[in-house]
Amino acid sequence: MATLIGEQEIEDLAIGAAILGTGGGGDPYIGKLMVQIAIRKFGPITLLAPHELPDEALIIPTAAMGAPTVSIEKIPNGMEGYNALRALEKYLGKSAYATMPIECGGGNSTIPFVVAAHAGIPVVDADGMGRAFPELQMETFHIYGIKGSPMVIHNELGDHCILNTKDNLSLERFARAITVKMGATSHLAEYPMTGKQVKEVAITGTLSLAIRIGKAIREARMHKENPIEAIIDVTTNSIYGPAMVLFQGKVTGVDRQTRDGFVRGMIQVQGFDKYQGSTLEVDFQNENLIARMDGEVVAMVPDLITLLDLETGLPITTEAIKYGSRVTALAIPTPEIMRTPQALEVWGPRYFGYDVDYRLLEEIHPEYYKQKFKVSEEAEPLEL
Amino acid sequence: MATLIGEQEIEDLAIGAAILGTGGGGDPYIGKLMVQIAIRKFGPITLLAPHELPDEALIIPTAAMGAPTVSIEKIPNGMEGYNALRALEKYLGKSAYATMPIECGGGNSTIPFVVAAHAGIPVVDADGMGRAFPELQMETFHIYGIKGSPMVIHNELGDHCILNTKDNLSLERFARAITVKMGATSHLAEYPMTGKQVKEVAITGTLSLAIRIGKAIREARMHKENPIEAIIDVTTNSIYGPAMVLFQGKVTGVDRQTRDGFVRGMIQVQGFDKYQGSTLEVDFQNENLIARMDGEVVAMVPDLITLLDLETGLPITTEAIKYGSRVTALAIPTPEIMRTPQALEVWGPRYFGYDVDYRLLEEIHPEYYKQKFKVSEEAEPLEL
């Protein structure tokens, strides 16, 4: 059943997707404005569930690439993603039936809507990361066999390259190098695939989940309720799993470097209330990767780690976090499709250079999750 | 009048083009072998003068890009240039009538012949540099208004990118970044143009001149004559101008770094015979750029500076020069099309970071050139 997405849903999406974006995926503000302008001009945008796609339809995901620190200063002209889509359609000699995001994230969840509005096509309610990740091969599309190329990379001047590579790691390498030369930000049309392939390899329902999360936070704030509880409720009722509070405190240090087309660094948080005396450290490469409390790992990729403003429950991205921010650190378990051995090879902690084996968030925090899953755990064994 | 190019002409071309290549343009040996194998398989290759091209014919130049130091270790599979041509033809929806070099140089003068042999098309007797230069926009094509893109960049694995840029400087930037990620060497099909444009913007006759130079050296060596004199004779009778000996001595130092897709450095030569007690220093970026004798500039870009083996007269490229080499440093004035104000902006000494105005080789060495041009200088003024 197709849903129509209007300005309010985009408002909610920008918030919810930034929470799933684990600090990355780009600033939600600019992307939101771009879609809202497009909706005013072209009307609401159709959101399609993957199962509504014809098997043979051509789906072309669209996105921005680069360092989020740069994308908030080097504002897109708004047509880069659309131009990338059109250039790839021309190269393939076929029109796209729909576009879709490659990741959840404030910016990259909204760009396909800008493209869709201008192209007059729907957006598919799915993505390839289930969160945000910094590199192009970090996609269920890649993990489950789809080629990222031919891909178009486009800048605001009209410069564009069509990349054809044997493997998706080379695609990341070439595209990153071009992105750096484009000023550390670019727009992409990539991983062209059929409707059938989307159904097989995409993480489904992530856009509507992000909208639900954003809406829950908005309504909680409206009714002076706790937005964190609202997030926990929505994620519990999803393919993810219950969010949990890792930490609360004040940011006392941010080490951040923009280099090689990424922003990398570390955020230090001094705890208060029940976390008084403890320190949380969160490493990031565009997105938050690993969180350590007093040196002990409390959450790691691919599970989601998001910092929220303590008062409002709104997410803070890695390029915006700063000294003095009072934050709640939230973790969310990822869907099972993102935790297979093939998937962990692509985006487990070892890929990012950490000498630790991946542990499920639920394993690291058995007490919390035992209680959260208590219904099923306490169920009586079936008498056979 | 079309000429047929066989194995002997390629032997001569490799030598002559390396002399015009001023130390760059790639090692002549590998390119020569590739063409000779192709000629054995497909027969002699047709060389066409620009005026023989139909005005509306599509001409696609082909070349290698990257650091010459790398190209002698990372051997091409031989089909990269051909594959680049085919990919660009496909993208343009039109077949190439002929290919041609973008520069003179041991490697880059031979690659179009490999491509031509496999594609069954002629090579145009012209190029866009009249020597070798390190960057893609250093082309008479660029200087006189031709767009370098759409361009295809191809590696040995089949990875390729189609670049479309608003200007040729961006093209160089993106292509260089991709080349670095391809391992500092790549192959190109670029500056697609019409036969009419080739006639207007190319430096004509440079391939046949290189073959004449190579042949003159070969014959001089066969008859135990001085190969340097042979080079001077051939260049005197060309659109270039008489070569001159700048220096003779022994290489006592080579500073060479391969970085950012280039090889850069400096060669130091201690003089002997009439140059005893003097030092020549030659700076290079892939190609020799400027030569100073005891601190005084004796030749500079775009004029040609080439180091030859003292005994054989054979050229030594910047990646092959080493301590102990006994060399003759030769300079050759460039054709007038390469010395216009627009041209000097693109490849004059200031572009390469030297704080000196370009001076003609003939101005720096008036005595030598007065004598060389004495016939015309001594001619009686016409009685009117």
Side-chain angles (χ1 to χ4, degrees):
Chain A
M1 174 207 60
T3 315
L4 283 182
I5 302 297
E7 288 190 54
Q8 181 59 64
E9 286 79 12
I10 292 299
E11 197 81 39
D12 293 336
L13 171 68
I15 302 301
I19 285 176
L20 296 178
T22 71
D27 183 80
Y29 184 67
I30 294 166
K32 183 187 80 176
L33 292 185
M34 290 200 300
V35 191
Q36 290 179 330
I37 291 167
I39 288 175
R40 272 169 231 161
K41 191 161 170 191
F42 299 104
I45 300 154
T46 303
L47 184 67
L48 284 185
H51 71 262
E52 294 175 285
L53 297 173
D55 273 352
E56 70 293 345
L58 172 65
I59 315 301
I60 300 182
T62 47
M65 180 172 190
T69 34
V70 172
S71 65
I72 53 171
E73 297 201 4
K74 188 166 180 290
I75 311 291
N77 67 26
M79 295 304 287
E80 295 93 336
Y82 171 79
N83 289 333
L85 178 94
R86 287 298 190 222
L88 188 52
E89 284 180 334
K90 190 175 163 203
Y91 183 71
L92 295 170
K94 198 174 171 190
S95 292
Y97 181 88
T99 186
M100 65 184 282
I102 56 144
E103 67 178 352
C104 298
N108 265 341
S109 290
T110 51
I111 283 169
F113 287 94
V114 183
V115 173
H118 284 94
I121 57 176
V123 175
V124 184
D125 185 9
D127 78 290
M129 297 190 185
R131 48 169 285 163
F133 276 119
E135 298 178 13
L136 295 189
Q137 80 285 0
M138 295 175 175
E139 292 284 344
T140 50
F141 313 155
H142 163 72
I143 293 165
Y144 302 112
I146 308 294
K147 272 190 71 177
S149 71
M151 177 187 109
V152 170
I153 181 165
H154 217 290
N155 73 3
E156 72 286 359
L157 301 171
D159 298 330
H160 61 281
C161 307
I162 303 164
L163 278 65
N164 269 288
T165 62
K166 294 279 172 200
D167 67 74
N168 296 333
L169 279 161
S170 301
L171 188 68
E172 158 67 26
R173 269 203 305 278
F174 298 147
R176 187 72 49 184
I178 296 167
T179 297
V180 168
K181 295 297 173 187
M182 285 181 169
T185 176
S186 67
H187 283 68
L188 312 177
E190 55 172 337
Y191 285 100
M193 54 189 145
T194 64
K196 184 162 186 290
Q197 289 172 322
V198 172
K199 293 171 210 177
E200 289 165 356
V201 303
I203 303 168
T204 60
T206 49
L207 284 172
S208 50
L209 174 63
I211 294 171
R212 279 165 57 208
I213 293 174
K215 186 179 176 206
I217 295 174
R218 176 167 54 85
E219 291 180 345
R221 293 179 64 198
M222 205 161 32
H223 302 116
K224 311 247 185 272
E225 289 162 5
N226 183 349
I228 303 294
E229 287 304 321
I231 297 170
I232 294 173
D233 285 349
V234 176
T235 51
T236 301
N237 181 22
S238 78
I239 57 168
Y240 287 69
M244 77 167 279
V245 173
L246 289 178
F247 201 77
Q248 293 188 311
K250 192 181 93 162
V251 175
T252 53
V254 180
D255 171 24
R256 185 163 44 208
Q257 293 197 318
T258 302
R259 209 170 48 197
D260 306 328
F262 295 111
V263 52
R264 291 188 176 88
M266 197 263 283
I267 302 154
Q268 197 176 54
V269 190
Q270 294 295 339
F272 45 51
D273 296 338
K274 64 182 265 208
Y275 302 98
Q276 185 77 43
S278 285
T279 304
L280 186 80
E281 289 184 343
V282 181
D283 291 357
F284 60 88
Q285 175 185 343
N286 289 9
E287 284 77 35
N288 299 321
L289 296 178
I290 197 161
R292 290 190 192 82
M293 188 164 83
D294 301 328
E296 290 293 312
V297 174
V298 290
M300 64 178 108
V301 277
D303 290 324
L304 281 57
I305 302 163
T306 298
L307 301 181
L308 310 173
D309 180 276
L310 190 78
E311 308 303 327
T312 63
L314 297 177
I316 312 180
T317 50
T318 54
E319 77 278 7
I321 191 91
K322 58 190 172 193
Y323 178 88
S325 301
R326 289 151 49 89
V327 299
T328 298
L330 205 72
I332 304 173
T334 47
E336 292 314 309
I337 189 175
M338 298 175 60
R339 291 170 157 186
T340 63
Q342 308 99 291
L344 291 175
E345 215 164 280
V346 170
W347 54 41
R350 291 198 183 276
Y351 181 87
F352 292 97
Y354 296 99
D355 190 21
V356 290
D357 289 322
Y358 171 64
R359 289 175 66 208
L360 299 179
L361 185 68
E362 302 90 314
E363 270 174 36
I364 303 177
H365 305 280
E367 287 309 310
Y368 178 79
Y369 281 101
K370 207 167 151 187
Q371 163 225 329
K372 278 287 161 196
F373 292 123
K374 65 183 174 220
V375 178
S376 55
E377 298 232 343
E378 286 179 0
E380 291 291 314
L382 280 175
E383 297 279 343
L384 294 176
Chain B
M1 175 208 61
T3 315
L4 282 182
I5 302 296
E7 287 191 54
Q8 182 60 64
E9 285 79 12
I10 292 299
E11 197 81 40
D12 293 337
L13 171 67
I15 303 302
I19 285 176
L20 296 178
T22 70
D27 182 80
Y29 184 67
I30 294 165
K32 183 187 80 176
L33 292 184
M34 289 199 300
V35 192
Q36 290 179 331
I37 290 167
I39 289 175
R40 271 169 232 160
K41 191 161 172 192
F42 299 103
I45 299 153
T46 303
L47 185 67
L48 284 184
H51 70 262
E52 295 175 284
L53 299 173
D55 274 353
E56 71 293 346
L58 171 65
I59 315 301
I60 300 182
T62 47
M65 179 171 191
T69 33
V70 172
S71 65
I72 53 170
E73 297 200 4
K74 189 165 179 291
I75 311 291
N77 67 28
M79 295 304 286
E80 295 93 335
Y82 172 80
N83 289 334
L85 178 93
R86 287 299 190 222
L88 188 52
E89 285 180 334
K90 191 177 164 201
Y91 183 70
L92 295 170
K94 199 173 170 192
S95 292
Y97 180 88
T99 186
M100 64 184 283
I102 55 144
E103 68 178 353
C104 298
N108 265 341
S109 290
T110 51
I111 283 168
F113 287 95
V114 183
V115 173
H118 283 95
I121 56 175
V123 175
V124 185
D125 185 9
D127 79 290
M129 297 190 185
R131 48 169 286 163
F133 275 119
E135 298 179 12
L136 295 189
Q137 80 285 0
M138 296 176 174
E139 292 284 343
T140 50
F141 313 154
H142 163 72
I143 293 165
Y144 303 113
I146 309 294
K147 271 191 70 177
S149 72
M151 178 187 108
V152 170
I153 181 166
H154 217 288
N155 73 3
E156 72 287 358
L157 301 171
D159 298 331
H160 61 282
C161 306
I162 303 164
L163 278 66
N164 269 289
T165 62
K166 294 278 173 202
D167 67 73
N168 296 332
L169 280 161
S170 300
L171 188 69
E172 158 65 26
R173 268 202 305 277
F174 298 146
R176 186 71 50 184
I178 296 167
T179 297
V180 168
K181 295 297 173 186
M182 285 180 168
T185 176
S186 67
H187 283 68
L188 312 177
E190 54 172 338
Y191 285 102
M193 54 189 144
T194 64
K196 183 161 186 291
Q197 289 173 320
V198 171
K199 293 170 209 177
E200 288 164 358
V201 303
I203 304 168
T204 60
T206 49
L207 284 172
S208 49
L209 173 62
I211 294 172
R212 278 164 57 208
I213 294 174
K215 186 179 176 205
I217 295 174
R218 175 166 54 86
E219 291 180 345
R221 292 180 64 200
M222 204 162 31
H223 302 115
K224 311 250 186 268
E225 289 161 7
N226 184 347
I228 304 293
E229 288 303 322
I231 297 170
I232 294 173
D233 285 349
V234 176
T235 50
T236 301
N237 180 24
S238 79
I239 57 168
Y240 286 69
M244 76 167 281
V245 173
L246 290 177
F247 200 77
Q248 294 188 310
K250 193 180 92 162
V251 174
T252 53
V254 180
D255 172 23
R256 183 163 45 208
Q257 293 198 316
T258 301
R259 208 170 48 197
D260 306 328
F262 295 112
V263 51
R264 292 187 175 88
M266 196 263 283
I267 302 154
Q268 197 177 53
V269 190
Q270 294 296 339
F272 43 52
D273 297 341
K274 66 183 264 208
Y275 304 96
Q276 184 75 46
S278 284
T279 304
L280 186 80
E281 290 184 342
V282 181
D283 291 358
F284 59 88
Q285 176 185 344
N286 289 9
E287 285 76 35
N288 299 320
L289 296 179
I290 198 161
R292 291 191 191 83
M293 189 163 82
D294 300 329
E296 290 293 312
V297 175
V298 290
M300 64 177 105
V301 277
D303 291 324
L304 281 56
I305 302 162
T306 298
L307 300 181
L308 309 173
D309 180 275
L310 191 78
E311 309 302 328
T312 63
L314 296 177
I316 311 180
T317 50
T318 55
E319 77 278 8
I321 192 89
K322 58 190 171 194
Y323 178 89
S325 302
R326 290 150 49 86
V327 299
T328 298
L330 204 70
I332 304 173
T334 47
E336 292 314 309
I337 189 176
M338 297 175 59
R339 291 169 157 187
T340 63
Q342 308 98 290
L344 292 175
E345 215 164 279
V346 170
W347 53 43
R350 291 198 184 276
Y351 180 86
F352 291 98
Y354 295 99
D355 189 22
V356 290
D357 288 323
Y358 172 64
R359 289 175 65 209
L360 300 179
L361 186 69
E362 300 91 313
E363 270 174 36
I364 303 177
H365 305 281
E367 287 309 311
Y368 178 80
Y369 281 100
K370 208 167 149 190
Q371 165 226 328
K372 277 287 159 195
F373 291 122
K374 66 181 174 222
V375 177
S376 55
E377 298 229 344
E378 286 179 359
E380 292 291 314
L382 280 175
E383 296 281 341
L384 294 175

